[in-house]
Amino acid sequence: MTEPFASLPFDNSYGRLPGKFYARLNPSPSSAPYLIEFNQALAKDLGILEHFGDPEATARLLSGSFFPKGADPLAMVYAGHQFGGWVPQLGDGRALLLGEILDPQEVRYDIHLKGSGPTPFSRNGDGRAALGPVLREYLVSEAMHALGVPTTRALAIVTTGDDVRRETALEGAVLTRIARSHIRVGTFQYFYALGDHAALRQLADYAIDRLYPDCRSADNPYLAMYEEVIRRQAHLVAKWLQFGFIHGVMNTDNMALSGETIDFGPCAFMDEFHPAKVFSSIDRQGRYSWGNQPHMAQWNLSQLATALLPLFHEDENEAVSLAQDSLGLFSQVFNQSYLEKFGQKLGLVLSDEEDEAFLGSTLELLTKHKVDFTRFFHHLTQYAQDDTHKGLEALFANKRALANWQGDWQARVARQVSSPLERHKPMRRANPVYCPRNHQIEAAIQAAYRGNFEPFRRLHAVLQSPFTPQAGCEDYEFPPSEDERVYATFCGT
Ligand code: AMP
Ligand code: MG
């Protein structure tokens, strides 16, 4: 079969690593691939738009039903700590790296199909994905990008024409995901656990060349790379907290070395604020709650350090001491980034312990009065510009508690050197009007299963400009009513 338009300018590097890094295999074809969504803007940015043909050819290509010339499909192997428990071998069980491309700036990206059929790492899974979780990942990852959070991107959704069996039979789909790389903390852990230090070094050299080339010239390139990963993760988690995002499954196999948010499973943006909020139905201990995410990132990074010890120094004690010194960077970078971001949200420069206490009491106020996180900061942004704005009052049953807080806030603002205008711009950029609320996502998914993709498309469109109020989109600002509330999302994705 000739499909002249469905091809991509692949330039594959991971497949040049030794065979123990992956299993090479072809995706399983789908019986009736159909293109639901294609991210034209992303394809254009990546410089690959002209390589896609008509929707039918694109659907075959991005469901794995047609192998373009130059593709080198492979499933990557990795290990990981899942909810703290060690699993020596995981790997891409329902995903394949189709190949890599270079964008016009020569930045290398993975083109990855999720839901493309079983692999040697599928264990008992079917290697498939249901349409719902694919829509969820598309919406949330693209919304994260619009919010300015580093993340993998979504290029396309193709339905397969084949049902997948979950609790019921659901329509199957494949997501095309784009990432700077799919190397995970768990990829390093896999080779460390095998005692294969040569492979560990090869992987680290590959990661440095691909993601952190500046580290090559450092005295200790592996330690320099490790510190760069720490910095990126610290900034990333601070951004998650800034927008009320809960990843849900911060296992070491779901932490990318690139510092991109990856693997959107039971993730969510909080409606009413509570620091201990979780969404994953299996996270009963609150391990990955909103407020515990910095600790968990640090824990994962300490696991990465353990895996990299043989590369840090030949003397183990020396290696451990280097790793410990570096890990200290996390809280330093995180705290600074967190205070900076919440300072922007509050329209204040937070610089000392008293400021931190004020931030703490603000979050306590939101917790105690069950206030919607996104709406609170959105209305504060408007109130900061015009103190007759009454939006905050509507969020509090207890008006006196709000008035007391407003008094404190006004007093702090009065002490700041910045002008209202200087304050307001960063506030607007720190406080979105819209975020992907779980009940909206759920409604879009349910409509899609009934064949109506309009709610998905509307929600996606609104989330592309999260900081700008959009006429006729007021519905998307609001938290769920009691009967729209979604309490948990599930891992059976
Ligand atoms: P996750 O929690 O989605 O990051 O997945 C954890 C591991 O389970 C990874 O190795 C996945 O590839 C694998 N996995 C998840 N769902 C499936 C599935 N439907 N079929 C095969 N493997 C799966
Ligand atoms: Mg995963």
Side-chain angles (χ1 to χ4, degrees), residues 78 82 90-95 114 121-129 166 184 249 251 253-254 263 491 493:
Y78 48 84
Q82 299 196 311
L90 291 158
D92 293 331
R94 54 158 163 184
K114 193 163 172 182
F121 310 121
S122 296
R123 295 177 292 168
N124 298 321
D126 58 4
R128 294 293 184 182
R166 294 295 179 257
R184 301 144 193 269
V249 205
N251 295 333
D253 53 304
N254 291 338
D263 276 3
C491 251
T493 51

Side-chain angles (χ1 to χ4, degrees), residues 4 50 107 115 226 270 335 392 472:
E50 80 238 36
V107 179
Y226 179 57
M270 261 192 286
N335 287 339
L392 284 171

